[in-house]
Amino acid sequence: MKILHTSDWHIGRTFHTHPTLDHLGTVLGALVEIVRDRQIDVVVVAGDVFDHAMPSKESYAVLTAVLRELKAAGAAVVLTSGNHDSAARLGFQSEWASLAGIHVVTSYDQYLHPITLTDAHGPVNFYGIPYLEPVLVRHLHPGVTLKTHEQVLGFAMDQIRVDMAARPGRSVVLSHCFAAGGVALSEASEVERDITVGGLDVVPLGVFDGPDYVALGHIHGRARLSERVRYSGAPLHYSFSEAGKPRGGWLVTLDADGLGSVDWVDLPVPRRLSVLEGPIDELLHDERYGVREHDWVKAVLTDQVRPLDGMRTLQTRFPHCVTLEHRPAVTVETDGATYAERIREATGDPEIVAGFLAFVRNGAGPTEFESALVAELLTEQGITEVDS
């Protein structure tokens, strides 16, 4: 059986206020072509199908279209709800969708009833674990301590292993969480919201012992925690911290004995992300940045003084420049005195001007030319000392 592991579609998410539905539609269209060309049997989506609990009608239209096309390409679909999704909205009419081979797992105990699909070697049982917020499920099991995501998933996996032992066939688990492992955490970007109110709730890798393959979601970069436990990452870039990270999914092949092979499949990147750093004049005129003119651009300006109207100026060359940071190339450590203290200690107007320039330039005072110009202007005005 060929399984394409994806996650974190985040349908409806914006990128620095810009809609991404068209770009995501392009990527999901390419995913359908991969399914058709490689004759993939099952597509799994491990949580965060939508980006919001109340998706727009346009977001529903994108999901409807891709599910219809995946079905037409010959694949079944198994998807679970993530921490961004509304389980109730995503799961609406899931009973009827399952009749068409679109299996939507959103109920808290639905993992107790695996979705069984078959190939030439027999059954494959898909255990979908929707995102389970501890505070919302602990009352359902009063005799069990369920205070953390680790405890909740550990409890669910214990039940799954019992079912696996009694049920013939191979097994695949879907889960949306922060699983333990330095690789996974290093792939996290600022997009992934804390999965608990109190902070990061990490789930040890050992919790997922047993299944032939575990398809994880929540981390937006691909990651291999073990040969059979992986993150696919998101199909689209949603943050500049994800720039350079490949987009795609894992093509998982199950043979008669379980996990056969796992190969990476690339998805297209409709618009690259570029972080450009330098003085504004260099960014505007240097020929080497010509290939970046149609990228999403984050500009880091190193000019000593923040350019006036810098964003609009940059957009004359980079129309998709969406964020700007001013980071002067030269900074000077100060003596710790406040601006008011430095002004009170000044002995003349030249020092007041120099102190002001140092204040607005992160410690760098006037240049030699600027000092001469200030002195000349003050002399013309007949000002040479601070009024007493």
Side-chain angles (χ1 to χ4, degrees):
M1 182 176 289
K2 292 181 179 179
I3 303 166
L4 184 59
H5 166 199
T6 74
S7 72
D8 296 273
W9 288 6
H10 285 280
I11 302 173
R13 188 176 187 86
T14 59
F15 183 78
H16 292 272
T17 73
H18 294 266
T20 62
L21 281 178
D22 287 346
H23 285 175
L24 183 60
T26 298
V27 173
L28 294 180
L31 185 147
V32 171
E33 291 303 313
I34 290 170
V35 169
R36 182 179 290 111
D37 294 344
R38 303 205 180 197
Q39 297 182 314
I40 290 170
D41 301 297
V42 186
V43 175
V44 302
V45 188
D48 282 355
V49 178
F50 291 116
D51 189 60
H52 303 289
M54 299 182 66
S56 65
K57 65 177 182 180
E58 292 82 7
S59 296
Y60 275 110
V62 168
L63 179 61
T64 300
V66 69
L67 293 179
R68 180 176 60 244
E69 292 169 7
L70 287 172
K71 176 62 179 177
V77 179
V78 180
L79 57 85
T80 61
S81 52
N83 59 304
H84 280 241
D85 295 306
S86 162
R89 287 184 172 84
L90 182 62
F92 178 64
Q93 292 191 338
S94 58
E95 180 180 353
W96 311 115
S98 65
L99 300 177
I102 308 298
H103 305 279
V104 185
V105 180
T106 59
S107 298
Y108 78 94
D109 60 350
Q110 208 166 340
Y111 60 84
L112 296 173
H113 309 285
I115 298 149
T116 301
L117 305 175
T118 59
D119 64 5
H121 302 297
V124 177
N125 303 306
F126 290 82
Y127 295 88
I129 306 176
Y131 174 67
L132 301 176
E133 176 64 58
V135 72
L136 298 180
V137 299
R138 65 181 61 151
H139 70 283
L140 301 170
H141 306 281
V144 184
T145 301
L146 300 176
K147 295 182 178 180
T148 67
H149 211 210
E150 174 187 349
Q151 292 169 337
V152 170
L153 283 178
F155 177 71
M157 283 301 304
D158 285 343
Q159 293 178 295
I160 287 172
R161 279 186 284 267
V162 170
D163 189 84
M164 287 169 49
R167 190 184 298 270
R170 295 147 291 168
S171 56
V172 175
V173 166
L174 287 71
S175 182
H176 193 83
C177 65
F178 262 127
V183 174
L185 295 180
S186 69
E187 289 294 333
S189 70
E190 71 264 17
V191 171
E192 294 97 341
R193 301 170 189 169
D194 277 355
I195 213 159
T196 62
V197 174
L200 197 63
D201 193 354
V202 178
V203 179
L205 184 58
V207 165
F208 296 107
D209 286 347
D212 293 297
Y213 186 77
V214 178
L216 296 179
H218 188 58
I219 300 294
H220 283 197
R222 70 177 181 185
R224 174 187 176 276
L225 303 189
S226 73
E227 187 61 27
R228 59 178 191 81
V229 182
R230 301 175 186 243
Y231 284 98
S232 65
L236 200 65
H237 289 116
Y238 290 114
S239 165
F240 279 102
S241 61
E242 300 169 11
K245 295 180 180 178
R247 304 288 89 171
W250 293 111
L251 176 53
V252 180
T253 302
L254 298 183
D255 57 25
D257 299 319
L259 184 62
S261 62
V262 184
D263 302 295
W264 180 253
V265 179
D266 283 310
L267 287 171
V269 177
R271 178 170 288 131
R272 294 178 305 181
L273 276 65
S274 291
V275 180
L276 307 181
E277 183 172 350
I280 191 169
D281 285 343
E282 178 181 306
L283 299 187
L284 290 172
H285 302 108
D286 196 317
E287 293 182 359
R288 62 188 166 133
Y289 296 125
V291 296
R292 303 294 181 181
E293 289 180 357
H294 298 290
D295 296 358
W296 292 118
V297 169
K298 173 182 178 180
V300 180
L301 300 183
T302 59
D303 304 76
Q304 202 60 41
V305 179
R306 185 184 185 97
L308 293 175
D309 211 6
M311 176 66 83
R312 184 157 48 182
T313 303
L314 285 166
Q315 287 174 343
T316 61
R317 184 178 191 186
F318 307 103
H320 305 292
C321 180
V322 293
T323 183
L324 184 152
E325 179 182 341
H326 182 224
R327 192 187 302 162
V330 178
T331 58
V332 177
E333 292 188 8
T334 65
D335 57 7
T338 66
Y339 176 59
E341 289 171 342
R342 290 197 296 270
I343 293 301
R344 284 196 298 268
E345 294 171 0
T347 59
D349 286 302
E351 286 193 17
I352 292 177
V353 175
F356 173 76
L357 292 176
F359 175 71
V360 298
R361 293 178 176 176
N362 298 294
T367 64
E368 184 177 341
F369 170 78
E370 289 170 337
S371 295
L373 180 61
V374 169
E376 180 181 341
L377 292 173
L378 292 175
T379 299
E380 288 180 0
Q381 297 298 319
I383 302 173
T384 58
E385 296 182 354
V386 179
D387 292 337
S388 56

